[in-house]
Amino acid sequence: QVQLVESGGGLVQPGGSLRLSCTASGTISRLKEWRWYRRAPGKQRDLVATVTSGGDHPYLVNSVKGRFTISTDNAPNAVYLQMNSLRPEDTADYSCYVTELRDGVLREYWGQGTQVIVSS
């Protein structure tokens, strides 16, 4: 079983930066892909970024390209979301997600979420 713990959210002014972290712990087999999602108040959860566990093929949705960066670290097993030039519309609850290949079965795990508020 894999547990994900997130940190780094908070209140920031427009134009500011935050760095979200998500660390995996527990009995980890082979992690495959990391993702960050966000859910703005009153809206559905949306994909923000993806990257392989080895840090390859980073993908960012258009609304955050040029402002956000996704990266990984294998020691510890973690994913990061560097968020620069934050806008009020980036306000949301951000959750990390990872897939793991264990005994031939692809499993998925979610973090508990961390809140980001962009406001002056």
Side-chain angles (χ1 to χ4, degrees):
Q1 192 77 358
V2 175
Q3 293 84 43
L4 300 179
V5 177
E6 299 155 355
S7 61
L11 172 64
V12 64
Q13 292 186 341
S17 298
L18 285 174
R19 185 180 191 236
L20 305 184
S21 301
C22 175
T23 302
S25 63
T27 305
I28 299 171
S29 181
R30 183 179 175 187
L31 300 181
K32 300 293 287 181
E33 181 183 69
W34 290 98
R35 301 176 189 173
W36 282 100
Y37 287 85
R38 67 184 180 185
R39 187 194 299 269
K43 296 188 177 182
Q44 67 180 21
R45 183 166 55 199
D46 292 324
L47 178 68
V48 177
T50 71
V51 70
T52 66
S53 62
D56 300 320
H57 309 296
Y59 167 80
L60 296 155
V61 298
N62 286 339
S63 59
V64 305
K65 277 183 182 176
R67 301 188 297 122
F68 291 11
T69 304
I70 186 170
S71 60
T72 63
D73 191 339
N74 288 329
N77 287 299
V79 66
Y80 308 97
L81 188 67
Q82 177 67 42
M83 306 186 295
N84 299 327
S85 302
L86 282 162
R87 304 167 179 170
E89 55 263 38
D90 295 317
T91 294
D93 188 72
Y94 286 72
S95 298
C96 64
Y97 164 100
V98 70
T99 55
E100 178 206 33
L101 187 62
R102 179 189 293 269
D103 299 325
V105 177
L106 196 65
R107 303 171 189 267
E108 55 184 26
Y109 303 94
W110 288 90
Q112 81 285 359
T114 185
Q115 193 171 38
V116 171
I117 300 174
V118 185
S119 175
S120 55

